[in-house]
Amino acid sequence: MNQFIDKIAAIVGPQGIITDQKDIDPYTRDWRGRYHGKTFLVVQPGSTEEVSQVVKFCAANQIAIVPQGGNTGLCGASVPRENGHEIIINLKRMKQIRHIDRENNTITVDAGCFLAQVQESAAAIDRLFPLSFGSEGQCQIGGNLSTNAGGVAVLRYGNIRAMTLGLEVVLPNGEIWDGLRGLYKDNTGYDLKQLFIGAEGTLGIITAAVLKLFPRPKGVATAFIGLKGAAMAIRLLELARNLGGDKFTSFEFIPRICLDLVFKHFPALKEPLDQIYPAYVLAELSDTSTSDVDQIMHDLLTQAKRSIKEIEFAIAKNQTQAQQFWAVRKKIADAERAEGVSVKHDISVPVSKIVEFLEKSEAALKTAFPKVEIIGFGHLGDGNIHYNAGMAEPDSAAFVARESQSVNRIVYDIVARLGGSISAEHGLGQLKRDTIKTYRSAIEIEMMRAIKHTLDPHNIMNPGKVL
Amino acid sequence: MNQFIDKIAAIVGPQGIITDQKDIDPYTRDWRGRYHGKTFLVVQPGSTEEVSQVVKFCAANQIAIVPQGGNTGLCGASVPRENGHEIIINLKRMKQIRHIDRENNTITVDAGCFLAQVQESAAAIDRLFPLSFGSEGQCQIGGNLSTNAGGVAVLRYGNIRAMTLGLEVVLPNGEIWDGLRGLYKDNTGYDLKQLFIGAEGTLGIITAAVLKLFPRPKGVATAFIGLKGAAMAIRLLELARNLGGDKFTSFEFIPRICLDLVFKHFPALKEPLDQIYPAYVLAELSDTSTSDVDQIMHDLLTQAKRSIKEIEFAIAKNQTQAQQFWAVRKKIADAERAEGVSVKHDISVPVSKIVEFLEKSEAALKTAFPKVEIIGFGHLGDGNIHYNAGMAEPDSAAFVARESQSVNRIVYDIVARLGGSISAEHGLGQLKRDTIKTYRSAIEIEMMRAIKHTLDPHNIMNPGKVL
C-alpha cells in the first residue's frame, strides 16, 4: 500500500496527495450527508498528463477510481463506496481557463474550474455561459458534464450537453483522448463525447472541455406570479410561449409550502407578493437584442389576468429585486435540508403530463400515507419536478428509513406510466442504480453494460455507480 | 437465394419487396451519380415490427443490410457496395406522423417521413421544425438522423441532434430498442440515442423519432449582401451578433462564382443586387415574439456601411423576395452538378479560422494546380464551408480522376492544422472512411471500432461505411 502511495506521490508531487484520514474525510461524504464512504487516498493531479499517469498506474494495479469534482452531486456518484478499496481522483487543482475564442464563441476550460468561474469568464468578454443552479459557486465543470447538469435555464439553452463542443478525457486505461474540438459541426463518425457526458465518471475522467458561449441578454424581465396550482401554471406557460416565443429562459413552479420553509429557515428573505397563493411561478424572459422584454412580460400578465382568475404578479423593478426573487427559489433545497429528511425524487414527464403526474402521485401517496407532506417544485417548463415526500418532525427520519422504497415505487410507477424518467437531472449514482433496472428495458440496460464493458473492461472507473 | 427472398416476402408482403433488377437500379445509385452498387433485393417494410423480423432473419443468415431513406446522402452511405451481397432496407413505406403533443412541443414520426412533411406538420399547429436544406422534399427523417443533418439554420437551432429527444431503433440483432421518450431532461445512464444519431446506419436502423418543435418566428428579415470577401463577412457576422444576439438563424457565404453558375443553369433566377460583388452573404434574422426584425437588419446594415466599405444590400420586401434570395442559395449544389464534376469537401473549422482556411487553401491549391477553379461557399456562421476544386470543362472529369487525392490532402492538412473537421455535415459514408484514419487519432478510431464491434459483432449493419 505504501509503495502504491509513494508511486502516486512521485507522479503528482506531495501537494497532490492526501493520506491523513482526518483530511480525507470531507472527500468521502456527499453534500447532503447521505453517503459516507471510505478511501485510503485522495489524489489531486495538477495536469491531464498527471491524471493519465495516475490512471495508468491504477489500471496496472487494478485499483479502482472515483473521479470527483466539487462533490455537490445528489446521488452519491462522486463519493467512494464503503469497502475502502477505491481511491479518489479529485480535480480541484486543475482550474485553468485554457483558451477563449471570442470570434468562435467558445471557451476551453479545465474540468476543475468552478461553474461560477466559467460564467464570469464569459461575462468578461460580453458573452453568456447559461448553465446556472444553486451550487454554481462550488460545483465544477467536470462534474457538471459527468451528470449532464441542467438547472434553471434549460428551457432556453438545454442541459450542459447542448453547450459542449469538445472534451478531453482520460480513459480507463490511462490514455488521453483529445477530443477538444471547437467545432459547431463535425460529422466524422460516432459522437464519442456524448458517451462521457452524463456517464457519472464510469467511462473515464473528463479533464477539459470546449464549451459554447452565447450572446448576453440585453434585457431581462423577472416575474413572481401567484396562482392556484399547476394546471394554471401550465396554461400560463402556453400563454408565455405564444407571446414570448423562445425568449422565456426559466419557468419555475413553486408550491406555497416551499416558501413557508424558505422563510422559516432564511428569515431575512421577503415575501415577493402581498397575498398568499397556493402556488407560484418564477418566470424569466430575456432577449439578446433590444426588444422590450418588460412589455412582453406585462402583456403576458395582462392576458393571464383576463383568462386565468386569481392570479397576482410582481415584475422585478430592478436587478436587486430579481435577485431577491431568485434567492427564494434557490434556497428551497437548503431550506428543505434544514427542515429534515424526506424521500426525494427528481422526475420528468412530458410537459403535457405534469398536472396528471402531480394529481395522481398526491392521491396515491395520501392513500398510502395519510399524513404525508409533499413538496413538488422545479422546472415546470422542462417537465422536471423535484418531488419530495416526508413527514412533519419528529417522524421524518423514521418515515424515510421505513418507507422510502414504497414511496419510490408509488411515484416511479406513475412516472413510468406517463412516459417519464426517474432521474431528470441528478443522474443515477449509487442512489438509483438498482431502481433504474425496473424502469428501463432489459435491452437498454444491456446496451449500457456492453458499452461500459467495452470501454472499461476491468471496471476501474467508478464501480458501483450508474450500472 | 429464392428461399431467402420468399421468407422476407412472407414478412413484409409482396408490396414490400423489389427483386427486378430494373426496378432495383435506382436504389443502388446515389443522388450525385458517384456510387453505383449492386443488390439482389430491396425490402420496404411497413412497420417497425417488420423491420425487426427482417433484420432478425438477415442476422441469422449473415446477410448484411444497407439502411436507406431518401437516398440523398453525399458520401455513399446509403447505397450498397459493388459485391452485391448486401440487401437494402428502404423505409419509404413508413411515413406516419405518429403523434403530436402540442403542449410538450414534440412530434413523433416514422423514420420514412419526408423532412418537408415534418416541417408542414409543425406549421399546421403553429410550431417550427427548423431543420432545412435543399433536399428537404426528398430526404427522410431517418436519413437526417443517421447523418446528423445540418443545413441553413444550425446557427440558431443546431443540427438535428439538438432537435431529437427520443429514438426507436432496430438493433443489428433485430431487437427493437424503444427509446421514444419525449423528455426534455432524462439523466438515466448513457445517452444511447446519441450513438445512433450520425452513425450512418452502421449501428442499427432508426425507425422512429421524437423531435422537438419550436415557437414559430413571428418576424423574419432576409438580406442579400454584397461585399469584398470572407474577412468582411466575418466582421459582418460579429456586428450581426452584437446587434441581433441569437436572432440570426442563417449566415451563408456565397462567392460570386456560385451566382454565375446558378444564373447560367437556372436563367429564370434573378440577380439580387444591382452591382456585381466578389462575395455575398445571405443573412436571415428571425424573432419568435414581436420585436422588429426589419429594424435590427436595417441597423446592422447601416452600421456595416459605416465600418465596412464597399458593401451593398437588399432586404427582402416580402416573403416572395426572401424566397428568391433563398432560391439562389439552394440552387448552388444543382448548378455545380450541372456544370461538371469537382473535388468536393465539406469542411469545418472554428469560425475564427475561416479566413485563414480560405486563404491558405487557395494559395496551396493554386501553387499545385495553377488553373484550378475554387468554389467555397456555405454556412459561415457555423464555420462550415463546402469547398470544391475543379477545372473548366473539358478538363474537369480528368482532373477529378487524377488529382482528387492530392487535392484532398492539401485541403485536409490545412483543415487539420486549424483544428477542423473533414466532414462537417455530410458524414463519412464510403467516401471518407479511409481518409478519416489520417485525421483522427488512433485512440478515437479504436473507440469507434470497439463500439461498432460491441453493438454489431457480425458487421451486419452497413458494412464498409464510416469505419
Side-chain angles (χ1 to χ4, degrees), chain B residues 162-214:
Chain B
M163 306 168 194
T164 307
L165 294 182
L167 291 184
E168 178 188 81
V169 180
V170 173
L171 301 173
N173 61 8
E175 288 193 281
I176 300 166
W177 171 50
D178 179 358
L180 275 185
R181 298 192 275 273
L183 301 174
Y184 287 87
K185 288 166 123 176
D186 177 21
N187 281 345
T188 48
Y190 312 148
D191 193 355
L192 296 171
K193 67 176 176 288
Q194 307 289 354
L195 274 178
F196 299 99
I197 298 172
E200 303 183 47
T202 61
L203 298 178
I205 303 177
I206 295 171
T207 49
V210 184
L211 304 169
K212 282 196 224 179
L213 300 177
F214 295 78

Side-chain angles (χ1 to χ4, degrees), chain B residues 28-86:
Chain B
T28 62
R29 297 168 181 275
D30 74 316
W31 172 81
R32 281 204 299 211
R34 294 281 188 92
Y35 300 93
H36 189 190
K38 287 202 193 97
T39 186
F40 59 96
L41 181 64
V42 175
V43 188
Q44 299 182 324
S47 67
T48 303
E49 186 52 40
E50 286 183 13
V51 176
S52 164
Q53 286 187 42
V54 171
V55 173
K56 276 182 184 163
F57 190 66
C58 287
N61 289 277
Q62 306 262 27
I63 299 284
I65 294 162
V66 179
Q68 189 179 73
N71 200 12
T72 58
L74 296 168
C75 297
S78 62
V79 295
R81 293 178 298 177
E82 287 168 22
N83 61 33
H85 298 155
E86 300 148 7

Side-chain angles (χ1 to χ4, degrees), chain A residues 187-249:
Chain A
N187 281 346
T188 49
Y190 312 148
D191 192 355
L192 297 171
K193 68 175 177 290
Q194 307 290 354
L195 274 179
F196 300 101
I197 298 172
E200 303 183 46
T202 61
L203 298 178
I205 303 179
I206 296 172
T207 49
V210 184
L211 304 169
K212 283 196 223 178
L213 300 177
F214 295 77
R216 253 192 120 58
K218 289 188 180 153
V220 178
T222 311
F224 213 97
I225 302 148
L227 34 63
K228 267 179 78 175
M232 294 297 106
I234 292 283
R235 282 180 56 192
L236 188 68
L237 176 65
E238 177 76 12
L239 272 180
R241 283 199 163 124
N242 286 345
L243 280 166
D246 54 6
K247 292 195 180 73
F248 277 87
T249 41

